Amino acid sequence: MLTIDRALRDAIVAHARRDHPDEACGVIAGAEGSDRPTRHIPMLNAERSPTFYRFDSVEQLEVWREMDDQDEEPVVIYHSHTATEAYPSRTDIAYASEPNAHYVLVSTRSDDATEFRSFGIVDGVVTEEPVTVVESDA
């Protein structure tokens, strides 16, 4: 199960809407071993595509080093789908390389509704998990 602060959920959705019609992508870091996302890191979709995303390799290296320096890990890895449901594609599954991360997908295909779903992806197996949105502590 993914438990996420409303402010972080809203930041992911806002990023997805802002980058539409291209896919948005990013990470929410959290303390190592905590499974609690705390710090939103919007990233550049190096593909600038409505159907595919890829982290910029230089930016990704910087972000992962920063997380390591702060004893953090990628608790959530997210991206948007612009014309399809919020469910991992074959490519998303193939590229999922963080077995402990929650893979969040947001669909921006509708202006009226937002699909926000979370999945575990381990060894090519996709498991949807419930999302609990809590009010921010701040």
Side-chain angles (χ1 to χ4, degrees):
M1 176 171 77
L2 171 63
T3 301
I4 187 168
D5 287 349
R6 182 170 307 285
L8 292 172
R9 180 201 179 277
D10 291 351
I12 291 172
V13 171
H15 182 199
R17 294 278 179 205
R18 186 171 58 249
D19 282 11
H20 188 88
D22 291 339
E23 289 191 3
C25 57
V27 174
I28 300 186
E32 286 181 354
S34 73
D35 197 42
R36 185 66 190 248
T38 57
R39 186 169 64 94
H40 180 227
I41 308 166
M43 295 174 69
L44 173 69
N45 178 355
E47 297 297 322
R48 298 176 196 244
S49 166
T51 58
F52 186 72
Y53 87 97
R54 180 178 54 83
F55 293 143
D56 175 81
S57 59
V58 172
E59 181 183 33
Q60 183 177 8
L61 181 61
E62 290 173 1
V63 167
W64 259 248
R65 282 182 175 163
E66 182 180 288
M67 284 189 291
D68 190 48
D69 289 346
Q70 296 184 30
D71 296 323
E72 294 175 323
E73 61 188 1
V75 176
V76 170
I77 297 174
Y78 73 88
H79 75 280
S80 60
H81 283 181
T82 62
T84 60
E85 70 174 318
Y87 190 86
S89 68
R90 285 188 304 245
T91 303
D92 298 337
I93 296 165
Y95 287 160
S97 61
E98 296 285 345
N100 296 324
H102 302 272
Y103 285 87
V104 166
L105 281 98
V106 175
S107 177
T108 57
R109 66 182 170 169
S110 169
D111 290 337
D112 300 330
T114 300
E115 294 174 58
F116 186 99
R117 297 168 71 186
S118 183
F119 304 87
I121 305 175
V122 179
D123 296 328
V125 176
V126 177
T127 305
E128 186 163 8
E129 58 188 5
V131 176
T132 300
V133 178
V134 297
E135 293 307 318
S136 300
D137 295 333

